[in-house]
Amino acid sequence: MSHLPKSNLWQTCSACKRHVHQGQWGEFNICPYCGHYQRLNADQRLVLLTDTKSFTALPPVNIKQQRHFPGYTVKLQEAQEKTGETEAFLAGTAAIKQQKVVIGVMDSQFMMGTLNTVVGAGIRQAIRTALSQRLPLILVIASGGARMQEGILSLLQMNTILAELTKLNEAGILTISVLTDPTMGGVTASFALESDFVFAEQGATIGFAGKRVIQQTNSAALPIDFQTAERLYRQGFLDAVIKRENLRTYLGRLLMIQAGDLNE
Amino acid sequence: MSDALKVIRSADRIGTQQVIAQLITNFFPLHGDRVSGDDPALTVGTGLFHQRAVVVAGVNRGATLEERQRYHFGAVAPAGYRKFIRGLELAEKFKRPVITLINMPGADASVAAEDDGQNLAIADAITKMNGLRVPNIAVFLGEGESGGALALATSNRLIMFTNSLYSVASPEAIQTILKGHVAAKQTLDHILPMQAAALKKLGLTDVVLPETGDLVQSLDNALQQQLAQLSKLSTAELIEQRQNKYLELVAQFAE
Ligand SMILES: [Zn+2]
């Protein structure tokens, strides 16, 4: 427990553990002491990446059946109260540096952005919108992987999303992944790494198996930069590691190249 | 479920090598992924199934401790998924149906697998199976968990032995997140369908095979029957049937 009074004005940096006043985080939510990027919710991410007031959300996903896993309903309610969102994914059309895109953002503050039936449906909807409106698709990933509480149905989000994503390749539509902290498990073994361009935000943890599980089965110490964006970049899995402050400009410049494509 | 787990994890459980030896003649294995090496945990090759050329990919768990260590307890490595994709390309080139045999634990949790791009290798294999231009049939001889199992199981037909299970994670891993909500492991399948019968009810599994009698013989019959059905479909119909099956299933819950 913190010795500070319970207030939203002060938060503890998860990296350096120092107390940071709300006003000190700045526009990009960066720790003034150690430079650590605070995790963002979907709304904060959209504000940073898209042109002012350009975002229009897609219609909400129709939830038909809820899984009855013990304790799950309560967990969902808690996440909804905490974030003000119905689920861990938000998508819509928006402009980035005046160029129209479909953008989908996963929310790590909602049950660690885990992939379930609703999030999966939202991602497929975003992909279909990009296809029907012929707009580039940008997916900002923040996820701990498949949501265990929905069992096999969570796993089946991986192949169904990939099947839809393939259609964008056939239709010649640009796909971009931005991996943020954390990008783990099932999302990395499906859509996260399959886009035309895969970027990561500086300092993001990216991997498949969890560090704890790996440590249980391997006696040797893990490499110091294990499962970091920087290591994956060096290994050739990422096209760039980008500072949060530069992401929007970076994406805007990539989108701009499309104007030079021949239109048939 | 504990009894079923005991059966499918036992040393004398029907395995890939046994199925290939009894059902496939002239079997020729592929060796290596032509990138980083060979993964002995996954056998991939081609041969004849009742005179018809097929491609088979099956996980090896091993019976003895020595075998199990050699096969890495059936944890398929990135090189294994890449070899699998080689097999799928061969199948498409010669229009050969693909049969996968699954009994594997979850992910290969190691630094080497992470550094070698396990996630991307799995995603590539799922993508290839999604759009495969020839029939594919997945057979669960035992358990299959996580993305690796999905890569082998994304198919036109799913055949499961009664005791086998297909899950997002191992029953033990799911048990830990239940944290005392459910005491007995026996009820896990009711909360989260993962065993053959429950998955058939969900619409995921097409054929459930009994655990009694000659298992290889009943698998032989089921494979022949399903292959005969799929042989009538065109390439476009095969891809559509496969993708729609999964899309319609998940759309029952949210869309
Ligand atoms: Zn800090």
Side-chain angles (χ1 to χ4, degrees), chain B residues 123-246:
Chain B
D124 287 344
I126 297 171
T127 302
K128 188 76 191 165
M129 285 288 268
N130 260 335
L132 199 71
R133 299 171 59 78
V134 292
N136 52 359
I137 302 178
V139 180
F140 279 74
L141 304 174
E143 64 192 308
E145 288 130 17
S146 166
L150 181 69
L152 293 175
T154 298
S155 54
N156 291 109
R157 293 288 189 274
L158 198 56
I159 299 174
M160 292 182 82
F161 280 98
T162 304
N163 283 333
S164 64
L165 69 92
Y166 183 14
S167 173
V168 66
S170 72
E172 290 82 358
I174 290 172
Q175 201 75 25
T176 61
I177 62 158
L178 274 165
K179 289 189 190 112
H181 277 296
V182 174
K185 209 182 243 180
Q186 275 77 1
T187 54
L188 199 53
D189 188 51
H190 295 296
I191 302 165
L192 284 185
M194 57 178 76
Q195 288 189 291
L199 293 180
K200 184 149 197 295
K201 210 173 140 204
L202 188 67
L204 180 60
T205 302
D206 298 291
V207 181
V208 179
L209 297 177
E211 294 281 345
T212 50
D214 185 341
L215 302 193
V216 180
Q217 183 60 53
S218 64
L219 176 58
D220 187 0
N221 295 339
L223 284 172
Q224 287 190 63
Q225 201 178 8
Q226 297 303 321
L227 271 182
Q229 286 178 17
L230 294 174
S231 298
K232 293 175 194 141
L233 302 183
S234 68
T235 298
E237 285 168 337
L238 284 169
I239 295 169
E240 197 182 296
Q241 186 272 330
R242 190 185 303 128
Q243 295 191 359
N244 284 351
K245 173 187 171 173
Y246 292 102

Side-chain angles (χ1 to χ4, degrees), chain B residues 35-178:
Chain B
V35 177
S36 64
D38 184 65
D39 177 18
L42 191 74
T43 292
V44 181
T46 189
L48 296 169
F49 174 67
H50 295 278
Q51 278 34 270
R52 172 132 189 225
V54 295
V55 166
V56 181
V59 182
N60 300 303
R61 275 193 108 145
T64 63
L65 181 65
E66 188 270 325
E67 271 182 3
R68 290 195 167 193
Q69 278 169 343
R70 177 151 46 97
Y71 294 143
H72 205 182
F73 298 87
V76 178
Y81 297 108
R82 289 193 289 260
K83 180 170 65 177
F84 177 48
I85 293 171
R86 282 189 61 204
L88 297 176
E89 284 166 353
L90 188 82
E92 286 186 323
K93 179 170 177 178
F94 298 105
K95 299 186 172 56
R96 295 178 187 169
V98 173
I99 299 165
T100 58
L101 305 167
I102 300 160
N103 188 6
M104 62 202 290
D108 174 8
S110 67
V111 173
E114 295 287 315
D115 283 350
D116 199 14
Q118 166 159 245
N119 34 23
L120 191 58
I122 290 174
D124 287 344
I126 297 171
T127 302
K128 188 76 191 165
M129 285 288 268
N130 260 335
L132 199 71
R133 299 171 59 78
V134 292
N136 52 359
I137 302 178
V139 180
F140 279 74
L141 304 174
E143 64 192 308
E145 288 130 17
S146 166
L150 181 69
L152 293 175
T154 298
S155 54
N156 291 109
R157 293 288 189 274
L158 198 56
I159 299 174
M160 292 182 82
F161 280 98
T162 304
N163 283 333
S164 64
L165 69 92
Y166 183 14
S167 173
V168 66
S170 72
E172 290 82 358
I174 290 172
Q175 201 75 25
T176 61
I177 62 158
L178 274 165

